[in-house]
Amino acid sequence: MANMNQTDRPPIYLDYSATTPVDIRVAEKMIPYLTEHYGNPASRSHPYGWTAEKAVENAREEVAKLVNADPREIVWTSGATESNNLAIKGAANFYASTKGKHIITIATEHKAVIDAVRELERQGFTATYLEPEPDGLVDLAKFKAAIQPDTVLASVMLVNNEIGVIQDIEAIGNICREAGVIFHVDAAQATGKVKIDLANLPVDLMSFSAHKTYGPKGIGALYVCRKPRIRIEAQMHGGGHERGMRSGTLATHQIVGMGEAFRIAHEEMASENERIRMLRDRLLTGLQDIEETYVNGDLAHRIPHNLNISFNYVEGESLIMAVKGIAVSSGSACTSASLEPSYVLRALGRSDELAHSSIRFSIGRFTTVADVDYTVELMKSKIEKLRELSPLWEMFKDGIDISKVQWAAH
Amino acid sequence: MAYSDKVLDHYENPRNVGSLDKNDPNVGTGMVGAPACGDVMKLMIKVNDNGIIEDAKFKTYGCGSAIASSSLVTEWLKGKTVDEAYAIKNSAIAEELALPPVKIHCSVLAEDAIKAAVADIKAKQSARATV
Ligand SMILES: Cc1ncc(COP(=O)(O)O)c(C=O)c1O
Ligand code: FES
């Protein structure tokens, strides 16, 4: 077995949901657009511009192809944060006067959605932050019941970044269509992991990011449906790029990178996902040997790349400190600046203790069987060590019900 | 976040982990924090008839800085009188471990644990005195 205290090599990367490395094939494709084909894609008067424009349009086709959309429906942005802001603020503002000023979203959305909606609330909109079921999924009847006569927009993510659950976007979209509600989907965590067929999905707006799918950081896209035609108000004004929806000189090399990353995802997704599912099952089986572990979020409706587990009676930050040989993230308050545990796990109704004790493992293209086996052994030994240190574990073993203890608040 | 060498040392080689006999009249227990807040510290001290702390043990559920703070105070407590122990300030703990501002509350918890353990031993002793 490998040395568990190995510190002489970089940790094994198991944080692919935070970001992914740029695939070397992507990086190689990008480089000439920095040094050689550096023209501005908006320059119409010389070949430098034409070459750049052609590369941008090729990339647009690749992005469109992965999600079965028309290339004319793809608008370049700086990433999913910008796409979410553009979609939510852009559509809410455009349709407020005709449809109304109420927005529905889910309590477990990414901050880029939640905070965009909060900003609209400050501007006079009202909002419903729907709680998901304990398994992380949206209850369709509850969603339907949340729609009001003045609901203008709903925003529901396809794949959750913390727990990996997949929402039934088709069913939710159909409810929106029936009610005349604009439907936005944050798909930042979904590309290359679940099949997306926008030609047939009742979705009006969808956000993408390159860096979650082996492309570069700082580039993303927004799908804006043409049939039915969806309008949005620009949030960035200037040269009128991207048909006026998003001004700013296009970052050719970044766009080329996103195109290549999405092309590879399209080609390799089926086999890659099968391999990743095998790795995830191996990881899950190994970790479930450990007493008092709880998987957060539904396992069936979930991308295979994500495993979010709470190790009861062990605090997440101290666990992350103990497992320096792997790079993972935690829902513990102690790892965040806010001192609040994960709002996503709390929205599932998980106790604060379990939220504090959670670790997110996310697996990707370069994860190996050896990485998984090392991780299982490391977790087993470190959790045992930390539980020896834990007064809660001692109480649990003595048969004391911790939820019944009167704790001094502080 | 980067940790100081002292935090890492206490975290990796925690001193005086464990429990003392809580029914021993010479043992005081302080349990502070709450699982919901992500930190619980249990500190036990054994005091001899001269009021000197002979032994100290801890168990902590919490971040690395909380574990290091409690490990450190078990070292500091041994040989001190209960009144000296009561006077230990969180700022001294934070300084010794070079805790960053966001981790100051972990040292506060350690100070609270000492105060709770001392209060417990004093309550036990006065209960005995009145018997
Ligand atoms: C679900 C989700 N939405 C949006 C984002 C933000 O994407 P970007 O980093 O491209 O702005 C992320 C990534 O952190 C995410 O996971
Ligand atoms: S116990 Fe939470 S930050 Fe130290």
Side-chain angles (χ1 to χ4, degrees):
Chain A
M1 195 183 68
N3 174 10
M4 289 296 146
N5 292 315
Q6 235 168 327
T7 47
D8 51 349
R9 53 147 180 73
I12 292 167
Y13 191 73
L14 291 176
D15 207 9
Y16 282 83
S17 297
T19 193
T20 59
V22 173
D23 192 300
I24 191 74
R25 292 168 287 181
V26 171
E28 277 168 2
K29 189 122 191 200
M30 290 171 67
I31 290 167
Y33 291 92
L34 286 159
T35 52
E36 243 176 277
H37 312 305
Y38 48 79
N40 187 328
S43 297
R44 294 278 153 82
S45 49
H46 49 68
Y48 293 93
W50 306 334
T51 306
E53 193 195 13
K54 186 155 177 278
V56 165
E57 295 316 314
N58 281 343
R60 206 187 297 274
E61 276 173 31
E62 295 297 351
V63 169
K65 197 160 105 191
L66 178 65
V67 295
N68 198 22
D70 186 309
R72 290 170 296 179
E73 295 176 311
I74 301 298
V75 174
W76 300 117
T77 66
S78 64
T81 299
E82 185 188 338
S83 298
N84 288 341
N85 274 268
L86 176 57
I88 292 167
K89 295 174 187 166
N93 281 314
F94 190 91
Y95 292 102
S97 60
T98 49
K99 291 182 186 280
K101 298 187 97 175
H102 174 247
I103 299 165
I104 302 171
T105 189
I106 313 300
T108 47
E109 291 291 311
H110 192 268
K111 284 285 183 196
V113 166
I114 303 263
D115 285 1
V117 175
R118 290 225 187 282
E119 173 58 24
L120 287 171
E121 280 190 283
R122 276 188 286 276
Q123 294 170 14
F125 285 79
T126 59
T128 302
Y129 302 88
L130 205 61
E131 296 282 335
E133 299 306 293
D135 58 11
L137 298 170
V138 172
D139 180 285
L140 296 177
K142 287 183 190 164
F143 181 84
K144 199 167 184 172
I147 295 179
Q148 303 175 5
D150 64 338
T151 302
V152 53
L153 172 91
S155 181
V156 178
M157 71 207 311
L158 179 46
V159 172
N160 183 274
N161 47 305
E162 282 194 36
I163 53 176
V165 298
I166 304 167
Q167 302 292 354
D168 189 348
I169 289 307
E170 185 172 6
I172 297 170
N174 282 327
I175 295 170
C176 288
R177 281 276 155 93
E178 239 168 70
V181 172
I182 308 283
F183 185 39
H184 167 251
V185 175
D186 177 353
Q189 293 284 352
T191 45
K193 298 172 184 152
V194 297
K195 200 160 175 270
I196 301 173
D197 179 7
L198 284 168
N200 295 301
L201 276 173
V203 170
D204 301 313
L205 298 152
M206 188 178 271
S207 301
F208 306 110
S209 181
H211 75 95
K212 309 284 187 186
T213 310
Y214 310 95
K217 295 165 185 61
I219 183 74
L222 179 66
Y223 159 85
V224 183
C225 187
R226 287 167 65 93
K227 277 186 201 145
R229 179 146 185 243
I230 298 301
R231 308 283 300 274
I232 52 176
E233 267 183 17
Q235 304 296 306
M236 193 71 79
H237 301 92
H241 306 78
E242 300 297 278
R243 278 167 283 119
M245 284 184 267
R246 203 277 194 175
S247 287
T249 298
L250 293 175
T252 315
H253 62 294
Q254 298 288 82
I255 290 170
V256 165
M258 182 163 179
E260 180 65 2
F262 277 39
R263 185 192 67 75
I264 294 170
H266 184 62
E267 212 156 84
E268 301 183 354
M269 153 170 185
S271 57
E272 181 164 294
N273 285 347
E274 207 172 296
R275 196 183 69 87
I276 286 174
R277 181 173 301 280
M278 177 273 291
L279 291 174
R280 197 274 308 273
D281 290 347
R282 193 179 178 99
L283 180 63
L284 178 62
T285 308
L287 294 178
Q288 278 179 333
D289 276 354
I290 303 171
E291 247 184 292
E292 283 291 302
T293 57
Y294 299 88
V295 174
N296 296 308
D298 190 80
L299 261 180
H301 303 94
R302 186 190 196 105
I303 53 165
H305 309 64
N306 170 294
L307 196 56
N308 188 313
I309 298 199
S310 289
F311 301 95
N312 211 0
Y313 312 116
V314 175
E315 191 280 320
E317 196 218 45
S318 63
L319 184 53
I320 283 197
M321 212 172 146
V323 296
K324 283 195 296 288
I326 58 175
V328 292
S329 70
S330 166
S332 157
C334 301
T335 57
S336 75
S338 67
L339 296 179
E340 290 291 325
S342 157
Y343 68 94
V344 171
L345 298 186
R346 296 243 309 235
L348 305 191
R350 276 296 193 217
S351 68
D352 283 352
E353 295 91 291
L354 282 176
H356 280 295
S357 303
S358 71
I359 300 281
R360 178 186 72 181
F361 302 88
S362 44
I363 305 171
R365 185 168 291 167
F366 306 106
T367 310
T368 64
V369 168
D371 292 343
V372 168
D373 291 349
Y374 171 84
T375 300
V376 169
E377 290 311 317
L378 182 70
M379 294 304 294
K380 281 183 181 168
S381 75
K382 297 298 180 178
I383 285 169
E384 188 182 320
K385 181 185 161 207
L386 284 168
R387 281 183 174 166
E388 270 166 37
L389 264 176
S390 167
L392 302 179
W393 179 249
E394 181 180 64
M395 291 166 84
F396 166 71
K397 283 284 155 182
D398 288 345
I400 297 168
D401 181 351
I402 291 175
S403 65
K404 302 258 155 58
V405 175
Q406 278 280 314
W407 298 99
H410 70 289
Chain B
M1 183 186 310
Y3 295 94
S4 69
D5 289 345
K6 280 184 181 157
V7 168
L8 286 174
D9 179 36
H10 276 280
Y11 174 74
E12 293 193 353
N13 312 294
R15 330 285 202 260
N16 306 307
V17 175
S19 300
L20 298 168
D21 176 8
K22 65 173 183 291
N23 298 319
D24 182 335
N26 290 323
V27 168
T29 304
M31 175 102 87
V32 295
C37 305
D39 36 40
V40 174
M41 222 175 251
K42 188 186 74 168
L43 179 68
M44 299 183 106
I45 52 174
K46 184 169 178 146
V47 181
N48 69 17
D49 294 338
N50 303 322
I52 306 283
I53 298 172
E54 276 185 340
D55 200 3
K57 296 266 190 221
F58 86 97
K59 284 201 176 192
T60 291
Y61 162 88
C63 74
S65 304
I67 290 171
S69 296
S70 37
S71 168
L72 175 70
V73 299
T74 57
E75 282 192 323
W76 279 1
L77 288 174
K78 286 194 210 177
K80 284 201 163 57
T81 66
V82 288
D83 292 331
E84 284 166 351
Y86 200 83
I88 291 175
K89 287 270 171 298
N90 86 284
S91 52
I93 301 165
E95 192 181 325
E96 172 69 16
L97 294 175
L99 297 182
V102 293
K103 294 292 175 183
I104 297 299
H105 80 270
C106 319
S107 65
V108 172
L109 207 61
E111 180 188 322
D112 291 348
I114 299 173
K115 293 203 156 53
V118 168
D120 186 51
I121 192 77
K122 290 205 163 163
K124 271 189 177 176
Q125 283 167 346
S126 62
R128 224 176 347 155
T130 55
V131 171

